Amino acid sequence: MPDLTAWFAAGRREVDEALDRHLAARAAAVMPPARASGPGVSGDAEDVVQEAMRYSLLGGGKRLRPLLALLTGEALGAGRDLCLPYACALEMVHTYSLIHDDLPAMDNDDLRRGRPTCHKVYGEATAILAGDALLTRAFEILGEAYVELPAPRLARTLQAFAGALGARGMVGGQSRDLAAEGKAIGLEELQRIHAGKTGALIRVSLEGVALLAGAPEPAVRRLAEYGDLLGLAFQIKDDLLDIEATAEQLGKTPGKDVAAQKATYPRIVGIDATRTLLRETVDRAAALAADLPGDRDRFVQLAHWVADRGA
């Protein structure tokens, strides 16, 4: 088994190449042959949106969500032709959420993945449209890839995928996060916010592949539970990094949560208790990994990586 660093690197390359293909295929279908382009280059309106999509989607990132999808597929014995399109749809949706999250009306950040945010390069209107286009492209990919999948299996997968994104998932969590700024809330409400804002998409990275693959219900539930714990640990670590890491480490502006009086774990329970909660959550995820199918050691490694990462 390759070490985690090598596994991450190989997986990122595979995902990035597939993302590039999906963007190129869509661009070729709707646009004339490309002219010279780059960040901020003027041209046809559709051209600029395509540039903004590419700038944000292929500009780096951990690719955790698509890698979780691929790992789940490997664990269930599903081929790449089943898992890779879903992995790409996940990353497109995640990138759309980051583009919108960075907008002045939301979290108002100028830096993402070590580069100027999409709206700083292309303007707010184009950034909004690029996010919308990535979201809809994700559903196009799912429709194209799984047209021959049994209808009930596809319906359940799409229901889980869309549910993770909407008012019961990521969008709802973001809304509650904005509403909680500057307010005193309890730990239960904080966990509810982040189960939607961060956790829902991580959960469905595993759950969705299990549904696509027709996995038995107990396996679907265990993978979803592991995803819940991984998502919680990821957010707790993010809250600590906002306080402790530099802009170079994070690739985005540190200290913004504190400045905006965001509802975070350090703010609600204190830094020491946050570190304890992180370790307990990771330990629970690692213990649950013993009941997962496939490469249990990799699932354990990923849980510890979430806690130990520096960005």
Side-chain angles (χ1 to χ4, degrees):
M1 180 176 68
D3 66 36
L4 193 61
T5 301
W7 181 82
F8 262 117
R12 285 185 188 119
R13 284 193 299 272
E14 184 177 9
V15 169
D16 285 348
E17 289 169 2
L19 289 169
D20 192 20
R21 290 194 300 271
H22 282 299
L23 283 184
R26 188 61 189 145
V30 301
M31 290 166 48
R35 301 181 301 277
S37 64
V41 171
S42 62
D44 295 339
E46 195 166 45
D47 223 350
V48 174
V49 171
Q50 292 284 340
E51 288 175 16
M53 292 166 67
R54 179 171 292 275
Y55 175 83
S56 296
L57 184 64
L58 300 180
K62 291 178 282 294
R63 307 304 196 213
L64 174 63
R65 293 150 191 84
L67 290 177
L68 285 170
L70 296 182
L71 178 61
T72 302
E74 291 170 5
L76 296 170
R80 280 295 200 261
D81 56 338
L82 183 79
C83 305
L84 194 54
Y86 187 81
C88 289
L90 284 167
E91 190 62 25
M92 288 190 176
V93 165
H94 176 54
T95 302
Y96 127 74
S97 75
L98 299 181
I99 293 173
H100 285 195
D101 194 49
D102 290 333
L103 290 166
M106 302 281 276
D107 283 353
N108 191 23
D109 211 329
D110 295 343
L111 194 67
R112 172 67 67 178
R113 292 173 171 170
R115 305 192 301 167
T117 47
C118 188
H119 71 273
K120 297 301 292 185
V121 177
Y122 294 96
E124 291 180 36
T126 297
I128 292 169
L129 293 172
D132 293 344
L134 285 168
L135 172 61
T136 51
R137 182 65 181 129
F139 280 95
E140 277 187 309
I141 289 169
L142 297 178
E144 292 162 1
Y146 305 124
V147 66
E148 296 184 2
L149 202 70
R153 195 186 302 176
L154 178 57
R156 284 195 66 194
T157 304
L158 291 176
Q159 184 179 31
F161 186 80
L165 310 183
R168 293 182 292 108
M170 185 173 66
V171 170
Q174 178 68 44
S175 177
R176 288 189 290 272
D177 183 57
L178 291 169
E181 288 182 4
K183 297 179 181 177
I185 66 169
L187 181 59
E188 183 176 345
E189 175 60 16
L190 180 65
Q191 291 177 330
R192 180 169 174 255
I193 288 170
H194 293 305
K197 182 181 177 182
T198 303
L201 195 57
I202 290 178
R203 172 190 172 110
V204 85
S205 301
L206 300 104
E207 181 186 24
V209 172
L211 292 170
L212 280 175
E217 286 301 319
V220 175
R221 286 195 300 271
R222 285 194 296 272
L223 286 160
E225 289 168 9
Y226 172 86
D228 283 337
L229 291 169
L230 203 68
L232 175 59
F234 191 91
Q235 183 60 55
I236 295 170
K237 181 64 174 183
D238 254 14
D239 286 356
L240 288 169
L241 287 171
D242 183 70
I243 296 171
E244 299 171 345
T246 66
E248 290 73 23
Q249 289 172 311
L250 287 178
K252 59 183 179 179
T253 308
K256 288 189 65 65
D257 290 347
V258 174
Q261 293 188 296
K262 287 276 190 183
T264 67
Y265 288 91
R267 180 166 173 251
I268 300 301
V269 302
I271 291 178
D272 289 342
T274 298
R275 291 196 181 106
T276 299
L277 182 60
L278 174 61
R279 182 50 56 192
E280 290 173 349
T281 304
V282 167
D283 288 345
R284 288 169 60 200
L288 182 59
D291 292 327
L292 296 179
D295 190 346
R296 298 173 179 87
D297 288 342
R298 184 66 80 213
F299 286 110
V300 172
Q301 285 181 317
L302 277 170
H304 289 291
W305 172 85
V306 165
D308 297 334
R309 65 195 171 95

